[in-house]
Amino acid sequence: MKRPAAILAASALVLAAIFLSGCKEGDAYKSYDNSQERESFYKRFNQETATRLAGEHKELESALAGELTEQARKEKTLALDDLNRRLQRPDFFEFFTEEQLPQDLEWQTAEDGPEIGSPKAKKGGTLHSYIVGNAFPPTLRTLGAEGNNSFRHYHWDDMEMSLVLLHPETGKLMPALSDKWAVAADGQTIYYHIDSSARWSDGKDVTSRDWLMTFYIYLSEYLSETHYREYVKGQYWGVATYGDDYLCLRMATPKPLAPYVASTYPFQEDFFKEFGPDFEARYNWRCRPTTGAFEIRPEGVKKGRSITMSRVKDWWARDRKYYKHRFNPDQMIYNLVRDDEKVFQMVLNGDIDVYWLMDARKWFEQSEVPQVFNGYIEKARYYFEFPAISSGLYLNQHSPLLAIQDIRIGLQYASNWEKVIEFDLRGEGERLHLLEAGYGPYSHPTLKTRPFSVEKAREAFARAGFSELGPDGILKDKDGRRLSFTITYAKRPTYDAWLLRLKEEAKKAGVEFKLEGMDNTAAFGKIQRKEHEIAMMGWQGQLPFPDFYQGFHSSEAYEPGTRKPKPMSNNISSFADPALDPMIEENRAARSEEVVRDTTWKLEEILHERAVWVPAFDRPFYRVLSWRWIRWPDDFNVRMGNDPEMNYVLWIDEDIKKDTQEAMKEGRGFPEQNRLFDQHRRKTAAEN
């Protein structure tokens, strides 16, 4: 699932007066056990699936008996072949013994990749950080209303263990909760052996039953987010247990990197036994057990102030090859600081250890301070290879004027992101051209966005009927409607500067941009309810493949059978074209890398032609300020990661910390450090 990127952090404010630890909140609810309900659900869902498959089989046979074009016959024949294979195992939920495992499986593992992190890393210490987005998260849930908030990746996306993961240097498979796996001959049925050492943070074994709970929750009507149900029904044929130690996941189609694509997170059976109609309220502040290296404990949640993540005692993977040099601090404390300028001052004061600094003014001017000159704070710039954040202006086509393609084209020409890059970013950025950039061969190699041009903007607006210039310099049509739009965004000084520049430049083309800067919670809520006209937003895509479904499939745009925008979906453009849905579905269900590439390129071209958004910029690097006791590997970080902390390779050197603090008292300095790590930097067209 895509998550909101730092350009708009989806967090929520909590009243500052509430300073209680949060994870005990669930104790106020009556005891509830969904065990019997789950057993009934498995049987009922299997029956419903069998009935649906039988109906689809009858429809396909009937269609093939009639008149069809050659292409339609080919597609329906393939669909019938797939359906016949599925009917050999029609149940979605299956239960077997270990002895019933297929005997011809070829088990694989991946212990030949390089270690991650540095052997110099030391365990211990406390990392002091801050909550990105200047607002406290609305929940610790990872699902349900507001579960996809900007804090989630700290304790879920970048922390929780799945069955297999991608090695962040090589991009190849590596073990996680599964220590070996096997792909059946069909290319879509994957078997996993659960590592015998895998434990939850509460000491309980990880078992195959935990994945039964995962799929039960994803398919449950109790979950307010419908896209999980839709995704599972469309992408999986089923889940099977073979005793406690083996799991089988059946995808709907063969997939490249199938063990990774099929892999999903477990939901502990015991913890989620109370999952039911009141899930969102009951679990809002419950601290869940984790399979990852850090956990949130009840005493670690100070509502409205901070969240502390503590290293799991005797973490089960602490000595494993790909994990032993990572996750090094004893604690990581994330404090709520409601102002970016105060965050920066806390960094200079030593109250925050690491600062991800993308503000050009702070980097080039405000960090010219004694703490840096004397070597107490070190600077580093690191180039990475990772999917680009799709940041820009998203145009809500539910708005009558934005439903007009020529107006959207005009807005692309009227938005001078090039000037933002030149002046606000000090030239350290490049214009973004694609919705799905940074995916290597899958990303379109030549497509370019429409550049700033007053002349071309006005030509497009004229085609839409907006050709008369009003006394205020804004275009209007024959009915007197002004070409005026409100941009909703999370208010921050950096974003204010960008948008003021866009506003100033757009007026040259006859467009008025009204700026609606709101706190993160209000902005994200309004956008999720589809009440915006234009949203400045960024989405972080996930490896290994692009995904257009969440943002552009018709099912994510409107409530079924209505023109009411569908809330709580990622289709914030309200883009709906049923004729394009099959290609979007083909992209998601691609059986080969060639199909992924071809459909991605075609979709990019079509969505570019439709002008569904105004791309902003990409910066394939990050800049970091860190106190010198924060140590990094010799090559600083890993290739596949656009956040300095997401792979947890840093560590704290308490000896260096003590020496630094003494040096500051004594007036003693160290050599200034401003390092560049460009081993993964992409060459520009001129350099090639």
Side-chain angles (χ1 to χ4, degrees):
M1 180 178 181
K2 292 192 176 186
R3 65 174 187 249
I7 194 167
L8 174 58
S11 306
L13 297 175
V14 176
L15 294 177
I18 304 176
F19 292 137
L20 302 175
S21 295
C23 294
K24 295 181 180 179
E25 188 173 301
D27 295 342
Y29 291 87
K30 292 182 179 180
S31 179
Y32 182 80
D33 189 333
N34 61 24
S35 298
Q36 290 186 350
E37 185 177 2
R38 275 186 289 127
E39 293 299 322
S40 298
F41 177 86
Y42 299 151
K43 294 176 182 178
R44 184 176 70 255
F45 193 80
N46 284 347
Q47 292 170 352
E48 292 172 352
T49 300
T51 300
R52 176 172 57 82
L53 294 178
E56 291 176 4
H57 192 274
K58 184 176 181 179
E59 290 177 4
L60 284 170
E61 286 190 325
S62 177
L64 286 167
E67 294 292 329
L68 292 171
T69 64
E70 182 178 348
Q71 180 61 30
R73 184 169 296 278
K74 181 179 178 181
E75 292 174 356
K76 291 190 180 298
T77 299
L78 178 61
L80 184 60
D81 289 343
D82 283 345
L83 187 53
N84 284 329
R85 286 192 300 108
R86 185 173 186 184
L87 286 170
Q88 295 173 16
R89 292 177 66 174
D91 286 349
F92 189 94
F93 292 97
E94 298 177 303
F95 308 89
F96 301 105
T97 65
E98 186 174 325
E99 290 71 27
Q100 292 175 288
L101 272 170
Q103 297 302 303
D104 59 347
L105 297 175
E106 295 183 8
W107 293 97
Q108 304 172 25
T109 188
E111 294 292 344
D112 55 346
E115 293 181 347
I116 303 168
S118 172
K120 302 175 187 176
K122 299 179 180 180
K123 303 295 184 188
T126 297
L127 180 74
H128 297 90
S129 191
Y130 64 102
I131 297 174
V132 174
N134 312 116
F136 204 76
T139 181
L140 292 181
R141 285 183 288 97
T142 60
L143 299 167
E146 300 181 300
N148 188 24
N149 59 71
S150 64
F151 192 76
R152 190 185 81 163
H153 74 98
Y154 290 106
H155 65 99
W156 179 255
D157 303 82
D158 299 338
M159 183 61 63
E160 197 65 63
M161 302 279 276
S162 187
L163 286 159
V164 298
L165 296 170
L166 294 182
H167 194 290
E169 282 290 352
T170 67
K172 296 180 179 179
L173 299 175
M174 72 176 192
L177 291 173
S178 172
D179 57 357
K180 62 180 182 179
W181 50 88
V183 181
D186 62 9
Q188 65 192 83
T189 304
I190 303 94
Y191 296 84
Y192 302 90
H193 176 259
I194 300 167
D195 193 311
S196 59
S197 300
R199 300 285 186 278
W200 294 95
S201 53
D202 60 6
K204 295 174 182 175
D205 290 345
V206 177
T207 75
S208 61
R209 297 191 305 276
D210 297 321
W211 278 273
L212 290 177
M213 180 64 82
T214 296
F215 283 91
Y216 169 68
I217 290 175
Y218 282 155
L219 290 167
S220 173
E221 296 290 335
Y222 299 145
L223 201 60
S224 62
E225 299 154 302
T226 60
H227 57 262
Y228 287 106
R229 288 193 292 279
E230 294 164 358
Y231 181 82
V232 168
K233 289 178 180 179
Q235 297 300 305
Y236 288 89
W237 279 2
V239 54
T241 59
Y242 288 82
D244 283 349
D245 299 333
Y246 288 89
L247 180 76
C248 173
L249 297 179
R250 295 186 293 136
M251 301 294 290
T253 57
K255 295 282 188 180
L257 290 173
Y260 175 76
V261 176
S263 179
T264 187
Y265 298 116
F267 291 173
Q268 194 197 64
E269 183 181 37
D270 286 347
F271 179 74
F272 284 101
K273 276 186 177 179
E274 294 186 34
F275 175 86
D278 60 359
F279 161 67
E280 291 182 356
R282 183 183 289 258
Y283 281 86
N284 207 41
W285 292 106
R286 286 194 180 183
C287 298
R288 73 177 195 284
T290 177
T291 59
F294 286 85
E295 62 181 339
I296 299 175
R297 299 169 182 164
E299 65 273 15
V301 180
K302 309 297 181 184
K303 286 187 181 178
R305 293 191 300 181
S306 67
I307 296 178
T308 297
M309 295 178 59
S310 301
R311 187 144 50 86
V312 174
K313 184 178 180 181
D314 298 325
W315 181 46
W316 71 272
R318 65 189 180 280
D319 297 322
R320 299 301 171 93
K321 177 178 180 178
Y322 300 121
Y323 306 99
K324 62 184 179 181
H325 301 316
R326 303 162 64 193
F327 310 105
N328 298 304
D330 286 335
Q331 287 188 326
M332 299 183 294
I333 301 176
Y334 297 92
N335 286 296
L336 173 61
V337 187
R338 298 188 186 276
D339 180 77
D340 285 336
E341 294 302 322
K342 185 175 180 181
V343 171
F344 186 64
Q345 289 304 314
M346 291 177 68
V347 174
L348 298 183
N349 293 339
D351 298 319
I352 292 175
D353 296 316
V354 179
Y355 187 39
W356 182 12
L357 180 54
M358 298 308 287
D359 185 330
R361 182 173 56 90
K362 286 188 174 70
W363 180 260
F364 288 107
E365 298 172 9
Q366 291 182 260
S367 61
E368 296 291 295
V369 293
Q371 296 94 320
V372 174
F373 298 150
N374 292 324
Y376 307 142
I377 294 177
E378 300 180 342
K379 302 174 77 171
R381 182 201 306 252
Y382 184 84
Y383 283 84
F384 55 79
E385 295 181 17
F386 201 71
I389 295 172
S390 56
S391 59
L393 304 180
Y394 285 81
L395 314 176
N396 186 353
Q397 296 184 32
H398 188 67
S399 170
L401 289 183
L402 293 174
I404 302 171
Q405 182 168 318
D406 278 321
I407 287 182
R408 300 196 303 271
I409 290 174
L411 290 176
Q412 288 189 331
Y413 282 123
S415 300
N416 198 348
W417 282 106
E418 290 85 355
K419 197 165 186 178
V420 171
I421 294 169
E422 180 182 0
F423 289 96
D424 297 285
L425 305 186
R426 312 292 179 93
E428 292 203 322
E430 53 194 53
R431 189 69 196 271
L432 189 61
H433 301 286
L434 305 175
L435 284 156
E436 301 290 353
Y439 283 94
Y442 310 120
S443 294
H444 200 294
T446 59
L447 194 65
K448 301 294 182 185
T449 193
R450 296 177 178 90
F452 178 72
S453 169
V454 171
E455 180 183 359
K456 291 183 178 180
R458 293 217 173 172
E459 289 175 358
F461 294 143
R463 292 194 300 270
F466 287 81
S467 55
E468 182 182 346
L469 204 62
D472 56 357
I474 304 303
L475 290 168
K476 57 183 180 179
D477 66 4
K478 61 182 178 58
D479 297 321
R481 292 184 301 176
R482 298 171 69 249
L483 206 56
S484 176
F485 303 96
T486 298
I487 300 177
T488 302
Y489 68 102
K491 187 173 180 60
R492 298 176 70 175
T494 307
Y495 306 160
D496 291 341
W498 300 348
L499 290 172
L500 283 170
R501 194 175 300 281
L502 289 183
K503 177 185 175 76
E504 180 182 80
E505 294 293 304
K507 190 172 182 180
K508 298 175 183 177
V511 181
E512 179 184 47
F513 282 157
K514 294 184 288 187
L515 307 184
E516 185 181 41
M518 309 169 74
D519 70 67
N520 291 345
T521 306
F524 191 67
K526 182 171 184 175
I527 293 167
Q528 285 275 282
R529 293 190 302 272
K530 316 297 171 62
E531 295 171 355
H532 63 289
E533 284 189 304
I534 298 176
M536 187 178 79
M537 185 73 180
W539 295 101
Q540 177 60 72
Q542 301 299 310
L543 293 167
F545 305 121
D547 178 17
F548 293 88
Y549 193 99
Q550 296 179 48
F552 298 100
H553 195 275
S554 297
S555 66
E556 299 293 321
Y558 292 96
E559 297 285 10
T562 75
R563 288 292 294 173
K564 179 183 177 183
K566 182 178 181 179
M568 302 301 293
S569 82
N570 291 345
N571 189 341
I572 62 173
S573 304
S574 299
F575 178 87
D577 181 358
L580 196 59
D581 287 345
M583 188 182 296
I584 294 174
E585 293 162 6
E586 183 183 11
N587 177 263
R588 173 173 268 195
R591 298 168 182 249
S592 69
E593 295 183 56
E594 290 74 22
V595 173
V596 174
R597 180 197 62 207
D598 293 347
T599 53
T600 295
W601 290 12
K602 289 176 184 176
L603 286 166
E604 288 280 14
E605 291 167 2
I606 293 169
L607 295 171
H608 166 77
E609 179 186 355
R610 305 280 184 87
V612 297
W613 73 318
V614 183
F617 55 81
D618 178 33
R619 288 184 288 192
F621 63 86
Y622 50 74
R623 295 184 291 237
V624 181
L625 295 182
S626 59
W627 282 81
R628 67 186 298 267
W629 54 76
I630 300 297
R631 310 310 299 163
W632 306 87
D634 292 340
D635 51 3
F636 195 75
N637 221 307
V638 298
R639 178 174 67 92
M640 295 165 57
N642 65 351
D643 177 333
E645 297 178 48
M646 70 182 291
N647 286 286
Y648 297 96
V649 296
L650 63 78
W651 70 95
I652 300 166
D653 191 309
E654 294 289 357
D655 294 332
I656 293 178
K657 185 172 184 177
K658 181 180 179 182
D659 183 39
T660 303
Q661 291 172 336
E662 290 176 353
M664 292 171 66
K665 293 177 182 177
E666 298 166 1
R668 175 165 49 91
F670 305 93
E672 183 177 351
Q673 299 291 328
N674 189 351
R675 298 184 292 170
L676 171 65
F677 298 89
D678 61 355
Q679 61 268 36
H680 302 305
R681 178 173 171 267
R682 299 191 303 265
K683 289 185 178 181
T684 64
E687 291 172 322
N688 287 325

